[in-house]
């Protein structure tokens, strides 16, 4: 389990294209899935729909099985998603709107929770771009 300031997550990299609009990544802390929709295909701004599920091996460590989670996107200061108290097995999801093509972004998420040994947290990061 990641804890403390040294736990900054090194981003995995996702490159979306019109031919490859989905991405999935799993590690021992959780599973991340994302799909993008291009504005030309949908009639609205470029978007990324994402889902994060905390791994059951982390969920069992949570005192009371609840966590506080926050997501943000580097390069898009208007976006954030915060939940003060959600179940450990919650399938957390959100939509990031108004993404520019050929622009690097980094999606970041952090969930904090109590454990029998004290505070715990997990962090996730995905560096991504939408190519034309």
């Amino acid at each position: 389990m990641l804890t403390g300031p040294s736990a900054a997550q090194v981003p995995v990299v996702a490159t979306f294209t019109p031919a490859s609009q989905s991405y999935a990544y799993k590690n021992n802390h959780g599973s991340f899935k994302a799909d993008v929709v291009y504005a030309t295909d949908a009639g609205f701004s470029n978007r990324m729909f994402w889902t994060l599920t905390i791994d059951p091996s982390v969920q069992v460590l949570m005192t009371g099985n609840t966590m506080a989670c926050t997501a943000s996107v580097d390069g898009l200061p208007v976006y954030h998603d915060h939940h003060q108290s959600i179940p450990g097995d919650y399938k957390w999801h959100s939509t990031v709107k108004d993404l520019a093509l050929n622009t690097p972004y980094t999606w970041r998420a952090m969930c904090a929770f109590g454990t029998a040994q004290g505070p715990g947290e997990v962090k996730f990061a995905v560096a991504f771009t939408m190519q034309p």
Side-chain angles (χ1 to χ4, degrees):
M1 174 175 9
L2 299 173
T3 59
S6 64
Q9 178 71 25
V10 176
V12 294
V13 178
T15 302
F16 297 103
T17 67
S20 179
Q21 296 184 17
S22 296
Y23 177 79
Y25 177 76
K26 180 176 179 7
N27 66 19
N28 57 348
H29 298 122
S31 299
F32 172 84
K33 294 179 182 178
D35 294 290
V36 296
V37 176
Y38 284 80
T40 54
D41 297 336
F44 50 75
S45 69
N46 297 318
R47 296 167 186 230
M48 180 178 75
F49 303 90
W50 62 264
T51 302
L52 177 68
T53 306
I54 303 299
D55 193 81
S57 66
V58 176
Q59 293 174 28
V60 299
L61 301 175
M62 295 177 190
T63 308
N65 194 37
T66 62
M67 57 188 176
C69 297
T70 300
S72 62
V73 175
D74 298 353
L76 199 60
V78 297
Y79 174 80
H80 68 279
D81 189 67
H82 177 73
H83 295 276
Q84 186 59 39
S85 180
I86 56 176
D89 62 353
Y90 182 68
K91 193 173 189 178
W92 185 19
H93 59 282
S94 184
T95 303
V96 181
K97 301 176 184 177
D98 302 324
L99 296 169
L101 298 179
N102 292 320
T103 302
Y105 297 102
T106 302
W107 171 88
R108 296 184 188 279
M110 191 274 295
C111 293
F113 46 87
T115 74
Q117 290 77 35
E121 66 181 23
V122 289
K123 295 181 179 182
F124 303 88
V126 178
F128 69 95
T129 58
M130 288 181 71
Q131 302 295 319

